[in-house]
Amino acid sequence: MSTTVALVLLLAIAAYAVFAGADFGAGFWDLTAGGAERGAAPRDVVEHSIGPVWEANHVWLIFVLVVTWAGFPEAYQSIWLTMFVPLTIAALGIVLRGASFAFRKAVVTTRVRRVFGGGFALSSVLVPFCFGAVAGGIASGRVPAGGRAGDPVDSWLNLTSVSVGILAVALAAYVAAVYLVRDARHAGDTAMTAYFRKRAVVAAVVAGVVAAVGLVDLRAEAPDVFEGLTTRALPLVVVSAACGVGALVLLVRDVPRGARLLAALAVVTLVVAWGVAQWPYLLPGQLTVADAAAPAGTLTALVVAVVAGVLLVGPAFVLLYVLAQRGLLPEEGVETADADAVESPRR
């Protein structure tokens, strides 16, 4: 039963990486779009793309936290005690990001929109970096077992954590750019289609370089995980790379729908490869999945709850994404054109 729960947890992390990753990546392109005039067009594509679904993506994060807490309490305690700083920063960043995105669409003055836009864009980079840093710290064995706290600084500010954090940002930017190509094309905007296609290629190259550098460091810092990636998880790594390259080929050939699927698969298989590489350890070299698992009764109840949740919430998620892709959900906030025309009242 502990293996089943671990598999559910790994798939939930992969789902969060795909859906929220694309969400965070869109914020990265918002940050790098340029000034108010030059960046207006790409920001408009970003807002129309993530506007209907951005609130729902973090359901996966809540699911991951609950499953880890209920299914593997000792690991949950150790991770939170050790990684309290980056996880708190990520939590605050998620709140800031959501509030800034909502208020940016609601306020009517350009100056205030820029303030909220900056909060949205900066937190979109900070949050995936922190989550990647946590993953890097876990993979490199910096989280001790036994519900004890590790070093609060070195556990996530080290070469492995920083490289994985940068990789998380690059992958999010890559997935988002691939998704935004299709959205811009669907809207008939050829200029923005070419704009995001070029950025998808750049993000993919950066992600590949960062991944290669990270593997070199992983070999020194986490030899067991490195060995897993280059042996039993190697087929998944190859599939991930092939999907990423395939997505870029389809983008060049102007087939964005297939590119989106391949980009998502590239991220999913990479996350699963990480899990396979460190199996059977939840905390590499220190705590196995079986040793960290809650009592059998708790695991059984958790699996039943997960199945019930999927049956109840799954159809709603599918409906939400279908309606969003078909443009059948209402827009939020006010139009940018109106915002530029409104000035702050004077007393």
Side-chain angles (χ1 to χ4, degrees):
M1 189 63 71
S2 62
T3 301
T4 301
V5 176
L7 179 60
V8 169
L9 179 60
L10 184 61
L11 294 178
I13 294 174
Y16 185 65
V18 171
F19 291 107
D23 200 0
F24 291 133
F28 175 86
W29 298 122
D30 186 294
L31 176 66
T32 59
E37 183 177 349
R38 184 164 63 94
R43 290 192 178 101
D44 185 61
V45 176
V46 168
E47 287 197 3
H48 281 81
S49 178
I50 71 173
V53 298
W54 66 271
E55 303 102 319
N57 290 327
H58 296 296
V59 169
W60 296 106
L61 176 60
I62 298 171
F63 182 82
V64 168
L65 294 176
V66 171
V67 170
T68 307
W69 169 66
F72 307 102
E74 181 182 335
Y76 182 87
Q77 184 179 7
S78 295
I79 292 170
W80 267 99
L81 287 174
T82 303
M83 299 293 183
F84 177 80
V85 174
L87 289 175
T88 300
I89 293 173
L92 294 175
I94 290 172
V95 174
L96 174 63
R97 183 178 184 278
S100 298
F101 184 72
F103 283 118
R104 183 175 73 169
K105 295 173 70 66
V107 297
V108 294
T109 60
T110 302
R111 183 173 61 182
V112 178
R113 286 173 66 92
R114 287 174 177 169
V115 172
F116 286 123
F120 164 73
L122 290 174
S123 55
S124 295
V125 175
L126 185 63
V127 174
F129 174 81
C130 286
F131 283 140
V134 170
I138 293 173
S140 57
R142 288 180 165 86
V143 177
R148 296 180 293 111
D151 191 297
V153 178
D154 180 68
S155 60
W156 68 287
L157 290 179
N158 55 80
L159 186 57
T160 302
S161 293
V162 170
S163 62
V164 176
I166 295 174
L167 178 62
V169 174
L171 287 175
Y174 162 67
V175 173
V178 175
Y179 279 34
L180 291 169
V181 167
R182 195 260 180 183
D183 291 337
R185 184 174 182 271
H186 184 72
D189 192 335
T190 56
M192 285 298 100
T193 300
Y195 176 93
F196 285 112
R197 182 186 291 120
K198 181 186 300 183
R199 279 150 182 79
V201 174
V202 172
V205 172
V206 171
V209 172
V210 174
V213 173
L215 279 175
V216 174
D217 177 68
L218 197 65
R219 183 177 184 179
E221 294 288 333
D224 292 339
V225 176
F226 176 82
E227 181 183 358
L229 284 173
T230 54
T231 54
R232 58 182 176 275
L234 183 59
L236 290 169
V237 175
V238 173
V239 170
S240 177
C243 287
V245 173
L248 295 180
V249 171
L250 290 180
L251 284 178
V252 173
R253 299 184 62 180
D254 199 22
V255 188
R257 179 172 297 180
R260 292 175 68 144
L261 177 60
L262 288 179
L265 286 175
V267 175
V268 169
T269 50
L270 185 60
V271 172
V272 175
W274 167 47
V276 171
Q278 70 177 46
W279 183 263
Y281 288 97
L282 202 58
L283 300 179
Q286 303 185 64
L287 186 65
T288 65
V289 169
D291 291 338
T298 301
L299 295 180
T300 301
L302 182 59
V303 170
V304 172
V306 167
V307 172
V310 170
L311 293 176
L312 291 173
V313 180
F317 263 96
V318 173
L319 178 62
L320 173 65
Y321 289 121
V322 169
L323 292 177
Q325 290 301 304
R326 295 183 178 179
L328 299 177
L329 295 177
E331 291 290 329
E332 300 175 350
V334 295
E335 295 295 330
T336 304
D338 295 336
D340 294 335
V342 177
E343 297 180 355
S344 301
R346 296 181 180 178
R347 295 185 180 274

